[in-house]
Amino acid sequence: MDSSKTNSLSRWFAAHYGVLAAGGLALAFFGVNLWLQVAKWHTFHYATFDYANVMSILDEVRSGRFDFLDAAHLYGAALCQAYVLYFLCYFFVPSPYTLMVIVAAVFGLAVFCVYVAARPLFRTPRWPLLLTLFMALNPFLIVASLAGFRQNMIVVPAALLAFAAYQRRRPIAYVVAVIIACAAQANITPGILLLGFWILWRRRDRWFGRATVFAAAGWLVLNAVIYLAVRSLSDIEPPANMLHLTAYGESPVDFLRAFWERPGFVLENLFYWRNGTFLVLLLSLAGLPLISPAWLIAALPELGYMLVSTYGLVELDPRTAWAVRFMNPLFSHFNTGLVLTLPFFIIASLEGAARLGHWGHARWGEAAGKWAAVLLVLAGFLSFYFLTPVDYGPVPLTRAAQGRSLTPSAHDDLRGEILDSLDANRSYLMQFEFYFFAPRVRHRALLSNVAYDDEGYDFVLVDEKGSCPHPGPAECAALRERLTTDPRFELAWDKDGIRLYRPRATPAVTP
């Protein structure tokens, strides 16, 4: 190879090494995330049960028969237009692995988009690449990517791309990215509307400000139309606990009344100790949003809702309380709102890092930048190692990693065999793992005292070695004991603590 070609290749690599390295980092994130999702699915990890929930929704859309879709899932899907994209993928390959690939791909793309968003803020690719590595190691991004199927996850790369398009003055790309972000979930549109007014007022950027306002306002109207249509056509009322404001009453109106009549009670919940998670979120991002909080305005409505709903979410909502009481209290009240706010914390961190970097370079020169780079990488690895929790999966190279927990046991294999053999047309009362990991069984109910005394079932399936986050270990154990003496049921099959009961009037069967 002659010297001219060598020099040309060197120049090309020097100009693109940041993009290549960021792409490699995103692919690594995708691969590790997908491996963890698949491994957790085969070990019946509770942080993957949402895959079965989403499969139930998408399977019913494919078939046009809606037996499992309850009010919360119905309105949740209707107000997240990104479901259209997920359905198109699932329609051709109806498998839980399709959903896992989507999750890993979206968050892998988010990692790459951190570089794309940061690049216009710096003169060289070095700092954008270091910040991309820092964000890829952030425990909150990792938790968001491992907490099951979060339908609003597409907001993370979309918001980052919107910021990148704004910095590069690409109006069409900006509007498309904003619309995709709005389609992630109705909750985020008020924040984006505020962002549009802020761009219009503070930065006096008329075109981008107006485009943001019109896009968000239009999507708010669209969501209102969808809400009214679903309510009219389905005749199903939205559940009160869908908003997790049950600490204040049964509706948003009750919350406003409580805020007016009992402000002290609202403030008490606002400063509930579990809300300290948000402080840790700031610290895990090195506190940089405090330097440039401008784009955080888009997260304020959702962030406020998360803060006031935390107490009701953890203490008073039996539908979801079990799902947020994890071993690590820093992540114990995680909900989908974190995914909606996370990209704007990241954007604020990027802007803050750029301002800090330019100020430090002007004051202390290049040497300060090198020390700052070392400290940034060190902070990233330390937060990754010490703060990444085990609740959502044993992430490799972290303090809480337990690789052996990702190896299916003989009992896990037996569960899988039983699930594969169930008759999808019969009705079942099921313990947690069976209920959430049997999306093909259309007529099923989660084991609880209420369901147990409800209408009859063809079979009752329990597991002494299974978990009972809902309704709780004590109630679950009592129900299993009750089954052994209940004259309505008889044991049809028993192996390794897994028992199948049938009503006494039915003929003998095996699963």
Side-chain angles (χ1 to χ4, degrees):
M1 182 181 296
D2 59 42
S3 58
S4 61
K5 291 184 178 179
T6 302
N7 293 334
S8 177
L9 183 61
S10 299
R11 286 194 299 270
W12 182 89
F13 181 79
H16 297 90
Y17 79 88
V19 174
L20 296 174
L25 186 60
L27 286 175
F29 191 98
F30 167 83
V32 173
N33 185 276
L34 182 59
W35 167 68
L36 282 170
Q37 305 282 17
V38 173
K40 289 193 301 177
W41 176 263
H42 287 289
T43 56
F44 295 86
H45 195 286
Y46 54 79
T48 58
F49 74 85
D50 266 342
Y51 286 111
N53 268 344
V54 175
M55 285 177 64
S56 296
I57 295 171
L58 297 179
D59 280 334
E60 293 194 345
V61 174
R62 291 176 74 236
S63 65
R65 300 170 61 181
F66 300 96
D67 301 309
F68 179 76
L69 195 61
D70 61 18
H73 289 119
L74 176 63
Y75 282 94
L79 298 178
C80 170
Q81 294 77 42
Y83 258 117
V84 175
L85 172 63
Y86 309 144
F87 174 74
L88 290 175
C89 298
Y90 188 83
F91 181 83
F92 293 103
V93 187
S95 165
Y97 305 117
T98 300
L99 302 181
M100 294 175 200
V101 169
I102 292 174
V103 171
V106 168
F107 282 99
L109 176 62
V111 170
F112 181 75
C113 288
V114 170
Y115 179 85
V116 176
R119 186 65 184 90
L121 302 175
F122 296 89
R123 289 186 291 269
T124 67
R126 184 185 67 183
W127 273 102
L129 186 57
L130 289 175
L131 288 166
T132 302
L133 174 64
F134 181 78
M135 295 302 170
L137 296 173
N138 185 269
F140 284 87
L141 182 66
I142 293 170
V143 164
S145 70
L146 292 177
F149 192 91
R150 298 292 161 187
Q151 68 271 16
N152 58 6
M153 59 191 167
I154 202 167
V155 72
V156 184
L160 291 167
L161 287 175
F163 177 77
Y166 179 79
Q167 294 297 318
R168 291 177 169 86
R169 315 304 292 175
R170 304 283 178 82
I172 295 177
Y174 176 80
V175 171
V176 170
V178 167
I179 290 175
I180 293 174
C182 290
Q185 192 167 305
N187 300 40
I188 198 61
T189 48
I192 294 179
L193 185 64
L194 286 178
L195 176 64
F197 283 120
W198 178 84
I199 293 174
L200 198 58
W201 173 57
R202 290 293 295 174
R203 293 196 171 175
R204 304 188 184 281
D205 197 331
R206 293 185 178 181
W207 195 97
F208 282 91
R210 289 173 179 172
T212 309
V213 169
F214 287 139
W219 224 260
L220 277 174
V221 172
L222 175 65
N223 276 292
V225 171
I226 291 174
Y227 168 81
L228 293 174
V230 170
R231 188 170 180 175
S232 174
L233 295 174
S234 68
D235 200 29
I236 297 175
E237 294 287 332
N241 62 3
M242 188 174 178
L243 293 177
H244 303 304
L245 294 175
T246 50
Y248 311 97
E250 294 299 321
S251 70
V253 175
D254 291 333
F255 166 72
L256 294 176
R257 185 180 296 113
F259 190 83
W260 177 258
E261 297 176 354
R262 296 185 295 162
F265 178 64
V266 176
L267 291 174
E268 178 185 345
N269 294 331
L270 183 64
F271 291 100
Y272 183 56
W273 71 273
R274 291 182 189 269
N275 285 343
T277 303
F278 295 101
L279 177 61
V280 179
L281 173 57
L282 288 172
L283 293 176
S284 73
L285 294 171
L288 295 176
L290 298 176
I291 301 169
S292 182
W295 276 61
L296 279 180
I297 194 170
L300 289 182
E302 183 67 17
L303 186 59
Y305 156 71
M306 291 172 68
L307 289 170
V308 298
S309 68
T310 299
Y311 178 79
L313 176 67
V314 176
E315 300 297 334
L316 299 180
D317 188 344
R319 186 177 68 90
T320 55
W322 63 268
V324 293
R325 288 178 177 148
F326 292 135
M327 293 174 285
N328 190 324
L330 298 178
F331 297 87
S332 60
H333 80 288
F334 173 84
N335 57 63
T336 54
L338 176 60
V339 181
L340 291 173
T341 58
L342 185 60
F344 301 103
F345 277 98
I346 293 175
I347 290 170
S349 297
L350 299 179
E351 280 199 318
R355 291 188 180 186
L356 181 62
H358 297 326
W359 175 79
H361 185 272
R363 187 176 181 87
W364 291 299
E366 188 67 25
K370 293 179 180 179
W371 280 108
V374 172
L375 291 175
L376 180 68
V377 173
L378 182 61
F381 277 104
L382 287 177
S383 65
F384 168 75
Y385 180 78
F386 286 104
L387 293 180
T388 304
V390 71
D391 303 279
Y392 299 92
V395 180
L397 304 180
T398 63
R399 184 178 58 169
Q402 298 172 356
R404 287 178 296 179
S405 65
L406 295 177
T407 303
S409 65
H411 193 78
D412 291 329
D413 293 336
L414 181 61
R415 285 174 180 161
E417 292 172 10
I418 291 172
L419 287 173
D420 290 340
S421 66
L422 295 179
D423 186 345
N425 296 315
R426 308 297 288 271
S427 62
Y428 294 82
L429 181 62
M430 296 171 148
Q431 202 169 315
F432 177 81
E433 282 89 354
F434 295 115
Y435 175 79
F436 281 111
F437 290 87
R440 305 300 185 195
V441 178
R442 294 173 48 240
H443 305 289
R444 68 190 193 275
L446 183 60
L447 181 68
S448 68
N449 277 318
V450 175
Y452 188 92
D453 294 322
D454 201 356
E455 62 186 50
Y457 301 92
D458 294 328
F459 301 102
V460 181
L461 189 56
V462 297
D463 183 2
E464 284 191 349
K465 297 181 180 179
S467 58
C468 276
H470 178 77
E475 183 177 327
C476 220
L479 287 170
R480 288 197 299 263
E481 181 64 27
R482 185 178 170 187
L483 274 167
T484 62
T485 58
D486 193 324
R488 297 179 300 162
F489 298 101
E490 62 181 359
L491 185 63
W493 191 84
D494 181 4
K495 186 174 181 180
D496 197 26
I498 299 176
R499 298 188 179 94
L500 181 73
Y501 292 87
R502 65 168 184 264
R504 289 187 182 277
T506 61
V509 295
T510 57

